[in-house]
Amino acid sequence: MEKRDFRKWLSEFRDSIADYSYYIDFGKVYRNVDNIKIELNILNSLVGSASIENDFRNILKKYPEVLKCIPILLAVRSDEIEAMDEDGSFSYDFGHNTLSVEQYIVFMHKTGLFDLISNHIVSNLVDYVTGVETGLDSNGRKNRGGHLMENLVESFIQKAGFIREESYFKEMYIHQISEKWGLDLSAISNQGKMEKRFDFVVKTPSTVYGIETNFYGSGGSKLNETARSYKTLALESKTVDGFKFVWFTDGKGWMSARNNLEETFDVMDEVYNINDLENGIIEKIMK
């Protein structure tokens, strides 16, 4: 195979692989709002109230279940909220009606929620909570981002004709690979850490491919460690008949760790980027 040019390969790395669902999971937002929509609409009767304390007191007596949607008005997911000031320290449980109505009224005053609701700062609590949930969901981008490269690689594995649980498998440990196909993978040490688990394993008639995937949009010490450990893994894998280690990686974060990445690139034939995936590398190498 023709020797690849590392600099050209690195120049193809991308800034982002965000897909359309990466930014906000609106399905989850709407489900969360729907779960408390009735209670929020009951609380909507407080909007613009001239005697909000009395109205809130009456609501709690008739519909104590509205308490469960109070925390989300403060962008808090937990049912339990701790609060303290010069008057003392209180633990509020909104999942169970454990405090007096008067103490919940204190909470609504001191957090500013009564002011928010009674002074027309919001006109509809369902709409308001939809906005809150949208903001909270943006915090989930990091978790979604961690799966983007995995999902992308899996789509190309499927495009190449491999079928999940038949010819490719997700998240397999070394002992599972050894047991399933009778391979001796004792040479793969994982540098003394916990037993190695591959993101994907592809099985062809002649070879088992252990696949790792990652994308780094920003730099950091982890990249150097990843490059070094995968270099070792690549060298160890070369001693195992019928097994190959394949690494799909990308992201401009690698610019800060290019030297370590180049060291791995020099000893590892099967390290590829997204551009390689788009050009059909899986079909070419996994036969």
Side-chain angles (χ1 to χ4, degrees), residues 258-286:
R258 56 180 297 154
N259 292 337
N260 285 80
L261 182 59
E262 186 170 11
E263 283 182 26
T264 306
F265 182 89
D266 287 342
V267 302
M268 186 176 179
D269 297 327
E270 285 85 17
V271 53
Y272 302 107
N273 59 22
I274 293 170
N275 190 61
D276 295 321
L277 282 167
E278 291 175 345
N279 287 321
I281 194 65
I282 291 179
E283 289 93 334
K284 290 172 188 170
I285 65 168
M286 296 182 188

Side-chain angles (χ1 to χ4, degrees), residues 92-245:
Y92 294 89
D93 185 346
F94 292 93
H96 307 88
N97 197 346
T98 55
L99 296 173
S100 68
V101 171
E102 299 309 310
Q103 192 59 53
Y104 287 113
I105 287 173
V106 168
F107 180 89
M108 298 294 285
H109 265 303
K110 289 190 174 184
T111 57
L113 284 175
F114 272 166
D115 184 48
L116 177 82
I117 296 167
S118 65
N119 291 321
H120 293 282
I121 297 169
V122 294
S123 59
N124 185 301
L125 289 175
V126 176
D127 293 344
Y128 170 80
V129 169
T130 302
V132 170
E133 284 285 354
T134 301
L136 286 174
D137 189 73
S138 68
N139 297 330
R141 284 179 196 161
K142 187 172 182 183
N143 291 334
R144 287 195 289 274
H147 294 291
L148 283 174
M149 188 67 173
E150 247 180 64
N151 295 341
L152 185 66
V153 170
E154 185 169 15
S155 72
F156 281 102
I157 291 172
Q158 292 171 343
K159 188 180 176 186
F162 296 102
I163 300 167
R164 189 164 177 172
E165 299 302 324
E166 288 186 22
S167 50
Y168 88 89
F169 305 83
K170 196 168 182 181
E171 296 181 347
M172 282 189 88
Y173 285 96
I174 279 181
H175 80 271
Q176 294 173 312
I177 298 169
S178 298
E179 289 167 8
K180 192 168 184 66
W181 294 293
L183 291 175
D184 180 4
L185 298 175
S186 57
I188 299 175
S189 65
N190 206 26
Q191 296 87 57
K193 298 176 189 169
M194 289 172 62
E195 184 190 8
K196 179 69 192 162
R197 185 185 73 179
F198 290 98
D199 292 333
F200 298 100
V201 173
V202 169
K203 177 68 174 76
T204 67
S206 61
T207 308
V208 174
Y209 296 89
I211 298 170
E212 283 291 287
T213 69
N214 41 51
F215 182 94
Y216 295 108
S218 57
S221 58
K222 186 180 179 184
L223 281 77
N224 288 321
E225 182 191 332
T226 299
R228 280 193 295 266
S229 67
Y230 285 5
K231 177 183 176 182
T232 303
L233 185 54
L235 292 170
E236 290 172 345
S237 297
K238 284 183 178 181
T239 68
V240 181
D241 288 334
F243 180 83
K244 282 190 175 179
F245 170 47

Side-chain angles (χ1 to χ4, degrees), residues 5-61:
D5 182 329
F6 175 75
R7 281 180 296 179
K8 179 180 181 302
W9 182 71
L10 188 65
S11 72
E12 298 164 349
F13 279 32
R14 314 199 174 180
D15 290 310
S16 169
I17 52 169
D19 59 13
Y20 294 99
S21 61
Y22 165 73
Y23 297 98
I24 298 293
D25 181 350
F26 278 111
K28 180 182 167 192
V29 168
Y30 300 145
R31 285 192 299 275
N32 288 347
V33 175
D34 280 343
N35 285 339
I36 54 170
K37 192 177 250 183
I38 292 171
E39 290 80 5
L40 289 172
N41 276 315
I42 292 170
L43 287 177
N44 265 338
S45 64
L46 296 174
V47 172
S49 169
S51 56
I52 195 164
E53 273 192 28
N54 280 332
D55 291 343
F56 183 70
R57 195 177 282 116
N58 289 334
I59 284 174
L60 278 196
K61 285 175 183 172

